[in-house]
Each structure stands twice: as C-alpha cells, then as structure tokens.
Amino acid sequence: MAFWRSIAFFALLALLFIHDSHCFYLPGVAPQDFQKGDLLQVKVNKLTSIKTQLPYTYYSLPYCSPPKIQDSAENLGEVLRGDRIENSLYAFKMREPQMCNVVCNRKLDAKAAKEFKEKINDEYRVNMILDNLPLVVPIKRSDQDSTVYQLGFHVGLKGQYSGSKEQKFFIHNHLAFTLKYHRDLQTDSTRIVGFEVKPFSIKHEYEGKWDEKTRLTTCDPHAKHTVVNSNTPQEVEENQEIIFTYDVEFQESDVKWASRWDAYLLMNDDQIHWFSIVNSLMIVLFLSGMVAMIMLRTLYRDISRYNELETQEEAQEETGWKLVHGDVFRPPQNSDLLCVYVGTGVQFFGMILVTMIFAILGFLSPSNRGGLMTAMLLLWVFMGLFAGYASTRLYKMFKGSEWKKIAFRTAVFFPASVSVIFAVLNTLIWGQKSSGAVPFGTMFALIFLWFGISVPLVFVGSYVGFKKPAIENPVKTNKIPRQIPEQAWYMNPAFSVLIGGILPFGAVFIELFFILTSIWLNQFYYIFGFLFLVFIILIITCAEITVVLCYFQLCSEDYLWWWRSYLTSGSSALYLFLYATFYFFTKLEITKLVSAILYFGYMLIASYAFFVVTGTIGFYACFWFTRLIYSSVKID
C-alpha cells in the first residue's frame, strides 16, 4: 500500500506542476554531444497532408536518394502512425556553415511530374529528423510578438505568374537550414537544440553541360550569392530539370538540451483550457448539488420513513423505490452481453488511467515518437486480467456457471468488432499505396498481442473472479416479476438515456477540440495535466448523472435499471460522434472519399471506446447506489 500511496502522491505532484513543467526526457537518457566538425546525418520521415490524412514515404516521390536506402528501427506506435524513417543525402558538419550545396540534379519525366503535382495540390509536407528533433518551419505571428512552428515544409506551392491566369506548380528545391546549438564553455562540446528550415523555389541556372563540378550562377558560395527569395521559381513540368540544393547556418542558443522542446510545445491557448476546466467544474457542481439533495434530504427521509412503518397496512400504502425491492436485482435481459461490456469498460478504464499517469510524469512526451500509442496498446493487453475478473464477477452474481464462455466473449467481442473496421480501413489505405497501411509483420505482432497475451490474461482474470464467492444482493428477488406501471413521458427509456449523455459530453467537449486537432491537423498534444483533470471530471459527471436518473427511475417503480444505467452515461459517445462530424465539416478540408471514410471509420472506433468507458463508469455508480439504498432499509 505504501508503494501505491507514493505513486499517487507523485502523480498528484506532477499534475499540480504540469503547467510549469518542461522536462520531457526519460530518466537515464543521455543527450548526444558533438564536437566541431562532427558529421550530422539528417533522416527523412513520411510525407503528410491534413487534406488527405494519408502518409507516404519520402522516397515515394522522385527526390534525391542515397545509393542504399536504410530504414531506421521504428517502434509499434511509429509503424501504426505511418512513420517511415530513412537515411538521406543531407549531411552537415557541426558548426561549419555551408552554402549552396548541390544534392542532385533531376530531370522529370511525365510520371514524376504528375506525382509532384499531385502532392503539391494535396498540400503535402516533408518531414525530416536530426538528433530526434523534427524539422520545423518558423512562422512569425502578425497579431503577437511570438513565433509558431509548423512541422515539416510543403513539397511545393501553386500559383500564377503576374499577368497570367494559368495555374502552375512550383517545387521547393532549395532548403535553408538553421541548426541551433547549445555550447558547453568548458568542454566546447555542443548539443542540438533546434532544427529549422526556410524552403525556397528557385530555378537554378548554370553554364555549359552539367557535371559534378558545375557551378551554379543562381547560387554560388564563391561569389557569396545565395538564395533569399523565390522570385524565379522552379516549375514542375515534364522534361524540366530540377537541381536540389541547401544551405546550413549554425546559431548558438541559450536554450539548454532538456528544454529544447519548449519552443515546439509553446502553448498560447492555456486560457481556453482553463475555461474548459471551469466549464466542466460548473457541470460537476450542479450535479453534485442534485446528488447531495437526493442523498441527504429525499433519500434520507425515505429511508427513515420506511424504517418507521409499524403496520402491514401502512407498508402497503407506501409507494416509491422500496416497492420494487423484490425485483431491483433481478438479472436483466442479455445479462451475458452486459457482463462482457462491463469487463471491456474496466479494461479500457485501466488502460486510460495508467497511460495518463505515465504521461503526466513525462514518460510519454512528443519527443518519444509513437510512445503514447505503444503504451496504450500494451496496457490494453495487460489490462485483460482485470477485464476477465470484472466480467466474471458480475456473471456469477447473475447465477451464471459457464465462466469460460463469458471469458472468451470478453476477450474477443470488442477487439473483433474493432478489427473488422480496422481491416476495412487498412485495405483502403493499402489500395492508396500509403505508408499508413499496417505491414504484415506488424499485423502479426498485433494478433500475437491479442491472442498470445490478452486472451490468456482474460481467462486468468476470469478464473480468479469465478473462484471468489458470488456477490450477495442486499434484498431477495421475488420469483414472479412485478408489473411496471405506465411511465411519464420524460421517464421514457430512450428520452432519459439521450438526456443523460449530454452532461458528460459537455464536460469534455472543449478539450475534445484540442485532441481532434492534434490527431487530424498534425499537431502535438502534450497537456496531459489538463486532460487528467478533465478525465476525473468526466468520471464524476458520468457517475452523478446516472445516479440521479436511476433514483428517479426507481421512484417511478421501474426496476429495469441495469442496461439503462450503462446506456445513460454511455450515450455521450453519440454526441462525441456528432461533434466529430461537425468538426469534419467545419475544420477539415478533406475532399477525397477514401480520406473521409478513414476519418469517420477511426472516429467510430473512438466513439465506440468512449461508449464502453463512460457506460461502465455509469453502471458501477448505479450498482453501488442501488446496493447502498436497499441495504439501508428494513425489509421483512
């Protein structure tokens, strides 16, 4: 217990100070020191576009390539994100500026010109990496005295010559790199703290025939003539000759290595996040007031009155939630499916909680590419132990005896439904020849994690749960079901379920905007302290709204609360999907059918997962509430 108290204490400390914390590196990871003249090798990553959401490998375009292309080892999360990190011809020497270095000369054929035009039209960006820092384009904000950074640079741009209406495509073939470093005055060693670029489109010219010793007239280091603008841009057309060049400038910086990600993660919208927290807290306070009123006034008065009844005649005249005591714990229809959903929700809840704790402690920072997704997958697998335990405990309470059947369904039901959607989406991505398609080896690894680790753990958890004594209900269940009286219109199951999902969604929808932006607009999401607070508020909101509506339902003598408690808070997933649809039409510029299918497919999976988590929270809150109130009254 002392160990877990320590973990909780440090998690709380991290949460309190996360707003001012900027250290993102795992303990024990040492920075790399460079001496003057050391070779710096730039690696290239995927091409990305927020218009298509389909990543491609860098060398899917006819860029200059080394004699042998070597893949870097990517983790599971990187592969699933579509990252493909490879070597390149861009190489620098530390603190030795270079001007007009020629990478290669390319003459475009019809196919190459078409490929470049398609990528430029879809606004693809080129991503590069140096010393684990992504390449960024600095952009000065006109409204503020600050700089924002965009990941990667555009392949090219579209435009017209002055006096012409014909649309032309121009490629960014000259890159002006700026490498920022922090120098140790004692050892003269340096550490890289910034990697920036300004891309230009320039139609290079030279005299005579091209060979390795040819000097450019448009970019000549000997004449101190460098590229500073794109006034004579390089067109992308068949038979056009394109010369790729680059400059390297080194700038000393006061930024230390441990803080080098601060500029990348500059947060200018913290006021909006605090507004989100305050908005969510208002909802929680409102619900808490209602729960307090029910628990302290109405419910306490009910229990006192029920316990003071002296005659059978008085008991028969009573109405309300006590009258359904003989049916309130009657197993619901499709109880097996409810057990499966509850177990899956416990699995998801455990995964999210542990992931957030690691994230706010700095273990899953953006500097660790793919770390967040890898951690979530592995935690999902290992949380199968708790899924099996939770589902079987509930199943045994419903007088079930075939624990292996319920264990198998818990291990397979949700992953199988998600796998079908994922397989369809992956086939579409593969058909587009995108690097986002999951390779066969990774697919095999996912299947192994599922059937090799998750399924056995679910069975272990189910075995342990089934060996435990069954949960005893506080009141006995009658053999003959009681007839449910006609309900008021506002107690209609569909209406109350839909109303119940509004407040949990309202508690998270502002933070949801930032999450969708980070996923679909290729931006960093790193404010896990805010997210953890919102998650806690979501838990409280789901629990309170379900308890309130469950109490009203029992007071109207409707004892079918099992599924309704799950669906009440779980219906917030419907609003999440509707908001994702609104976001698609208002914030994204996706025009291709395949990209739209990918968006809605992945958001359907996310909404389904959200339904399982919130539904489980609501179910357990209502389960605890009903057991509490029926164990508090005297029943003959």
Side-chain angles (χ1 to χ4, degrees):
M1 288 298 293
F3 170 77
W4 290 112
R5 286 197 194 98
S6 301
I7 290 292
F9 174 74
F10 285 116
L12 182 61
L13 279 182
L15 177 61
L16 292 174
F17 293 104
I18 193 72
H19 188 59
D20 298 313
S21 174
H22 298 289
C23 184
F24 280 101
Y25 291 92
L26 291 173
V29 175
Q32 190 168 358
D33 292 322
F34 298 95
Q35 300 296 331
K36 185 174 181 179
D38 283 354
L39 183 65
L40 305 174
Q41 196 72 43
V42 176
K43 294 182 179 180
V44 292
N45 200 352
K46 60 187 176 184
L47 308 173
T48 56
S49 167
I50 60 174
K51 288 186 69 175
T52 69
Q53 301 296 334
L54 292 168
Y56 288 90
T57 61
Y58 177 81
Y59 294 113
S60 63
L61 286 179
Y63 278 118
C64 309
S65 59
K68 184 180 179 182
I69 299 174
Q70 296 177 332
D71 289 331
S72 297
E74 293 110 359
N75 60 41
L76 184 60
E78 285 178 305
V79 174
L80 293 175
R81 288 183 352 145
D83 286 351
R84 300 294 184 269
I85 303 171
E86 299 161 316
N87 59 328
S88 75
L89 290 173
Y90 293 95
F92 320 141
K93 289 188 176 179
M94 192 63 178
R95 291 161 59 191
E96 293 183 6
Q98 300 176 32
M99 186 185 294
C100 300
N101 265 28
V102 176
V103 185
C104 75
N105 180 315
R106 280 274 190 270
K107 190 166 186 179
L108 301 183
D109 55 20
K111 181 184 176 184
K114 181 185 177 184
E115 289 173 345
F116 271 122
K117 285 182 179 179
E118 287 177 348
K119 294 298 186 289
I120 293 171
N121 191 54
D122 288 333
E123 299 179 9
Y124 270 87
R125 303 181 76 94
V126 179
N127 294 281
M128 297 182 176
I129 300 169
L130 179 64
D131 190 34
N132 201 38
L133 270 184
L135 180 67
V136 292
V137 178
I139 298 175
K140 282 279 186 184
R141 281 193 170 184
S142 55
D143 57 331
Q144 302 177 26
D145 186 23
S146 62
T147 303
V148 293
Y149 296 92
Q150 292 186 341
L151 286 173
F153 62 91
H154 281 113
V155 172
L157 49 91
K158 292 188 294 183
Q160 300 113 359
Y161 289 112
S162 57
S164 172
K165 293 184 179 180
E166 185 181 1
Q167 191 86 342
K168 293 286 187 181
F169 292 86
F170 306 101
I171 188 172
H172 285 138
N173 60 322
H174 180 83
L175 304 177
F177 293 106
T178 300
L179 201 152
K180 296 182 178 180
Y181 65 92
H182 181 79
R183 185 161 64 98
D184 189 320
L185 298 177
Q186 294 181 343
T187 63
D188 201 42
S189 63
T190 53
R191 295 173 179 175
I192 298 171
V193 295
F195 187 34
E196 301 174 4
V197 71
K198 288 183 180 178
F200 297 98
S201 180
I202 177 76
K203 184 174 177 60
H204 284 302
E205 297 176 355
Y206 57 90
E207 296 177 355
K209 289 187 177 182
W210 178 264
D211 60 38
E212 293 181 359
K213 297 181 181 180
T214 301
R215 286 170 56 175
L216 301 174
T217 57
T218 47
C219 187
D220 189 356
H222 301 281
K224 303 294 182 183
H225 182 202
T226 186
V227 177
V228 292
N229 56 52
S230 299
N231 291 340
T232 55
Q234 174 65 60
E235 282 187 37
V236 177
E237 292 292 346
E238 185 179 355
N239 296 324
Q240 281 279 352
E241 185 181 39
I242 301 178
I243 300 171
F244 292 90
T245 55
Y246 68 94
D247 301 333
V248 184
E249 177 189 0
F250 290 85
Q251 288 183 4
E252 189 167 356
S253 172
D254 294 330
V255 176
K256 294 185 178 180
W257 184 86
S259 304
R260 65 179 186 167
W261 277 85
D262 291 1
Y264 292 70
L265 307 178
L266 180 65
M267 184 170 63
N268 294 304
D269 45 26
D270 53 341
Q271 290 183 345
I272 300 175
H273 287 278
W274 281 117
F275 173 75
S276 168
I277 299 296
V278 172
N279 166 70
S280 303
L281 284 174
M282 290 299 102
I283 294 174
V284 167
L285 289 174
F286 169 71
L287 283 174
S288 298
M290 291 189 67
V291 171
M293 183 180 68
I294 289 171
M295 299 292 284
L296 298 178
R297 294 185 58 190
T298 312
L299 192 57
Y300 180 76
R301 186 184 65 216
D302 286 351
I303 292 172
S304 300
R305 188 171 72 248
Y306 289 147
N307 289 340
E308 288 172 1
L309 293 177
E310 295 180 355
T311 67
Q312 186 67 23
E313 289 77 12
E314 287 178 322
Q316 288 176 350
E317 291 173 3
E318 285 300 321
T319 59
W321 54 268
K322 187 184 178 184
L323 281 180
V324 296
H325 67 83
D327 297 275
V328 73
F329 291 107
R330 186 181 304 282
Q333 290 185 339
N334 299 314
S335 58
D336 289 8
L337 185 61
L338 180 64
C339 296
V340 169
Y341 267 118
V342 169
T344 305
V346 169
Q347 189 173 8
F348 256 114
F349 182 85
M351 177 199 74
I352 294 171
L353 185 64
V354 177
T355 300
M356 284 195 183
I357 290 173
F358 277 112
I360 63 176
L361 292 174
F363 288 93
L364 300 174
S365 74
S367 61
N368 182 17
R369 283 183 310 277
L372 181 63
M373 188 172 291
T374 304
M376 290 176 70
L377 278 171
L378 293 178
L379 285 170
W380 161 265
V381 167
F382 291 116
M383 287 296 165
L385 190 70
F386 300 98
Y389 181 84
S391 61
T392 309
R393 289 285 285 154
L394 191 61
Y395 177 70
K396 190 172 183 180
M397 191 189 78
F398 291 147
K399 311 301 181 186
S401 58
E402 301 177 14
W403 69 271
K404 293 179 182 178
K405 179 183 72 173
I406 211 71
F408 179 76
R409 290 182 180 178
T410 305
V412 171
F413 185 79
F414 182 87
S417 54
V418 169
S419 296
V420 170
I421 302 173
F422 181 75
V424 172
L425 298 179
N426 196 58
T427 303
L428 291 174
I429 299 172
W430 178 77
Q432 297 293 312
K433 299 179 180 178
S434 167
S435 66
V438 178
F440 175 78
T442 306
M443 194 72 78
F444 179 79
L446 292 174
I447 293 172
F448 172 77
L449 287 174
W450 180 10
F451 287 101
I453 301 177
S454 180
V455 172
L457 285 176
V458 171
F459 272 86
V460 170
S462 295
Y463 176 79
V464 174
F466 197 73
K467 287 296 180 184
K468 291 270 188 180
I471 300 172
E472 292 293 332
N473 294 322
V475 290
K476 293 181 180 179
T477 303
N478 295 334
K479 292 183 179 180
I480 301 174
R482 178 187 178 88
Q483 187 174 359
I484 299 173
E486 188 176 346
Q487 300 292 301
W489 65 270
Y490 52 83
M491 290 307 297
N492 181 278
F495 180 78
S496 62
V497 161
L498 290 175
I499 289 297
I502 293 176
L503 289 179
F505 171 75
V508 300
F509 87 97
I510 296 178
E511 201 64 30
L512 185 64
F513 169 81
F514 295 100
I515 295 173
L516 291 179
T517 299
S518 69
I519 295 172
W520 299 108
L521 295 182
N522 200 27
Q523 296 180 13
F524 289 122
Y525 187 89
Y526 59 97
I527 38 179
F528 295 107
F530 282 114
L531 187 61
F532 189 72
L533 275 175
V534 171
F535 181 61
I536 297 298
I537 291 170
L538 175 66
I539 295 171
I540 298 170
T541 309
C542 287
E544 290 182 342
I545 190 64
T546 309
V547 165
V548 169
L549 293 179
C550 181
Y551 175 74
F552 291 152
Q553 179 186 351
L554 293 175
C555 285
S556 62
E557 299 177 30
D558 182 356
Y559 53 83
L560 303 177
W561 63 271
W562 297 96
W563 273 108
R564 198 188 291 194
S565 66
Y566 197 99
L567 297 174
T568 295
S569 52
S571 65
S572 56
L574 173 63
Y575 298 102
L576 186 152
F577 190 77
L578 291 175
Y579 179 78
T581 305
F582 171 78
Y583 185 88
F584 177 85
F585 288 108
T586 57
K587 297 296 180 182
L588 300 181
E589 299 178 6
I590 294 175
T591 54
K592 292 187 176 182
L593 178 61
V594 171
S595 302
I597 293 173
L598 288 179
Y599 176 84
F600 286 106
Y602 284 128
M603 290 313 302
L604 181 62
I605 293 174
S607 300
Y608 190 19
F610 193 71
F611 164 75
V612 170
V613 174
T614 53
T616 301
I617 294 168
F619 171 81
Y620 273 116
C622 202
F623 183 61
W624 166 82
F625 173 73
T626 51
R627 289 180 60 83
L628 178 69
I629 64 174
Y630 283 99
S631 62
S632 301
V633 293
K634 298 173 184 176
I635 296 171
D636 295 330

